[in-house]
Every structure is written in C-alpha cells, then in structure tokens.
Amino acid sequence: MNNSGFEKTIAYTFKNKELLTKALTHSSYCREHAVDIRGNNERLEFLGDAFFDAVISVELYRRLENVDEGKLTKTRALIVCEKSLATVGTRLNIGEHLNMGKGEEHSGGRQRESIIADALEAVIGAIYLDGGYDEAARFVSREFASTIDDALAGKLFADYKTQVQEALQKRGQKTFISYKLDREEGPDHDKTFYVHLVCNGKTLGSGSGKSKKEAEQNAARATLEGGIK
C-alpha cells in the first residue's frame, strides 16, 4: 500500500514501509480480509503509548523547571489523553489513510476519536521502531507543540478524571478511586462501553462512550456535575 502522501503529511519517510502500513491497519480490516490479527496496529499502539508518555514527560520536565511532581503529572494528563491524540490525528487526516473494514467505516470509524487516537499512537510506535527515539521525540514535539503550549497556558480541554480526583482529595481523607466496567454493547466495530466511578467503595457517577477512556471521562464528569458529597 502506498502511504507516501501520509509520509509527507507527517514529515517522516519510513525505511521500512511495512511498519507504517501496520500502524494504519485497524483490526476490523484484518477480520474482514482474513489477515493475521498480528497485522493490525494494536501492538504498535501499545508501544507508541509508552513513548508518547515519555516524550511529553521529558518536554514538561525541561520546560517547567520550578514546579513539583504533582503539577507535572496534572499537566501531562491534559496532554497524554485520547482527546489530545484525536485532535492531532484529525489534523493529520489520519482517518482517511486507515485500512479499515467496511462495517467499521460505515459506522463512522474514520472519524471516531478513539480509533484516530489509537492509530496516532501506533504511528508514534512505528516511527520509534523505524528511526529510533530521537525521531519519535522530534515528531511528537513538533506535532503536539501547540497542545503543550495550550496546556501550559491553561487553555486545554478539561480532564475530568484529574478534576474529580483533586476534588475528592480536598476532602482531607484517603481517597481510592477506580473505574469499573459495567458492560459492553454492540458489535466489535461499533461498541459502547458503560462504566461507573467508585471512591472508597461508593459509586459516585456513571458514564458511557465509544471507548473505555471516553466512558471514564464521562463518569468523572457526571460525578462532578452531580456534586461530590
């Protein structure tokens, strides 16, 4: 598959073209075309997630010299999230380059934030394997420059999970927060996830979404909107 147009968009030319093809292959494509499941982008997504986190951590460590670990962690959470990845992935038009099953495509998969975010993490992982850490760091630092600037300026989208954790901790007692998956509904290419937030054994809010991350954010938002008692 010729992905030269996408290579121009991301300003990186792969030596191993198969890595990019795999990064842009959604699991639904493998299912519909009887391709080995190892041909999808999920393993590269796993790798890219770790290096995305690492690159942003280093960037913030260098730029925020006078802040403590808590502030660094909170700022990183604003950047290293599905919404941030989906925003950049949409700008790079990654959805249009994905190898995707017809069912997933017809249900709006090329525009789905969770799929775009996962694919971008897979691309980061592929760049790392193809060109090393420096190339992956260069890509992340360049493409997420404005995202980082907005996070530092307090202009970035709300991270409800961080907000609810801070609100609960202000009550002055030990806080143990977890997100429990209630159920999944729908076919593999169009699932909806339902979760609830638990704090110290008490359910505080529930939410749903097209990914577990989105459902957790919505559960945290529902907790905030419902008032924390």
Side-chain angles (χ1 to χ4, degrees), residues 49 52-53 56 74-89 113-114 116-118 120-121 144 147 151 156-162 211 213-214 217:
D49 176 68
F52 179 48
D53 193 305
I56 295 301
K74 178 180 178 181
T75 306
R76 182 180 62 191
L78 290 172
I79 302 167
V80 183
C81 65
E82 182 178 285
K83 183 71 174 180
S84 171
L85 284 157
T87 298
V88 173
E113 286 192 347
S114 59
I116 293 172
D118 290 347
L120 185 54
E121 284 185 324
F144 287 85
T147 308
L156 213 53
F157 35 76
D159 176 14
Y160 296 111
K161 290 177 68 174
T162 298
S211 70
K213 292 178 182 178
E214 182 184 3
Q217 286 284 348

Side-chain angles (χ1 to χ4, degrees), residues 34-53:
V35 175
D36 190 313
I37 194 67
R38 290 173 296 180
N40 70 36
N41 63 8
E42 292 175 359
R43 285 170 54 84
L44 284 173
E45 174 202 339
F46 164 80
L47 186 63
D49 176 68
F51 279 97
F52 179 48
D53 193 305

